Amino acid sequence: GEVAGIRSDLGYQVWHARREQEAERQRARRAAEEKVRQQLEKAEQDQVATKLQRAWRAKKCRSLYDAFRMKKLEERARQQEETRRKERIAGEAKARQMEEQERDKAARV
């Protein structure tokens, strides 16, 4: 009985140790799987973030370009307005000059 008791006790210890090892292996495997899953998730999030960033940058560039174009258009419009104003003033001056010449001619005759 004594030997059988020791043997069964030893058997239990071996079985228990094996069970512990197996549990430890499974824990390690689960931890590794979890780590991989997290890395994949992070990679996916980074990809999405990169896509969003790219889209945002493109949009920002577009809006900057649009702003630049608007500025150019406004500048051109302002220049044209300025040119027209100068031409009008020059035209009025010329018309006045012509009128004066006509008056002078009329006065001379």
Side-chain angles (χ1 to χ4, degrees), residues 24-104:
E24 187 54 46
R25 264 201 298 270
Q26 279 185 352
R27 266 197 296 276
R29 199 181 72 228
R30 262 191 237 110
E33 282 171 358
E34 179 62 21
K35 197 173 180 184
V36 168
R37 195 185 61 73
Q38 282 176 349
Q39 284 172 339
L40 280 173
E41 208 171 87
K42 190 183 183 308
E44 231 170 72
Q45 284 172 352
D46 287 351
Q47 224 176 1
V48 168
T50 306
K51 269 186 194 167
L52 284 173
Q53 243 172 351
R54 258 193 233 122
W56 183 79
R57 253 189 244 123
K59 187 169 185 255
K60 192 176 169 193
C61 284
R62 258 200 308 278
S63 60
L64 279 173
Y65 176 67
D66 288 344
F68 172 75
R69 261 199 0 233
M70 281 302 296
K71 201 173 169 188
K72 282 281 180 209
L73 285 171
E74 283 167 10
E75 181 68 23
R76 195 177 299 144
R78 205 175 52 72
Q79 281 176 348
Q80 286 173 348
E81 187 59 40
E82 189 69 20
T83 306
R84 268 189 233 113
R85 197 175 63 82
K86 283 179 182 165
E87 283 171 354
R88 198 184 69 233
I89 291 169
E92 284 170 2
K94 189 140 181 90
R96 231 176 290 122
Q97 202 179 8
M98 298 275 281
E99 276 174 23
E100 282 170 17
Q101 282 176 352
E102 288 293 317
R103 245 184 281 137
D104 286 352

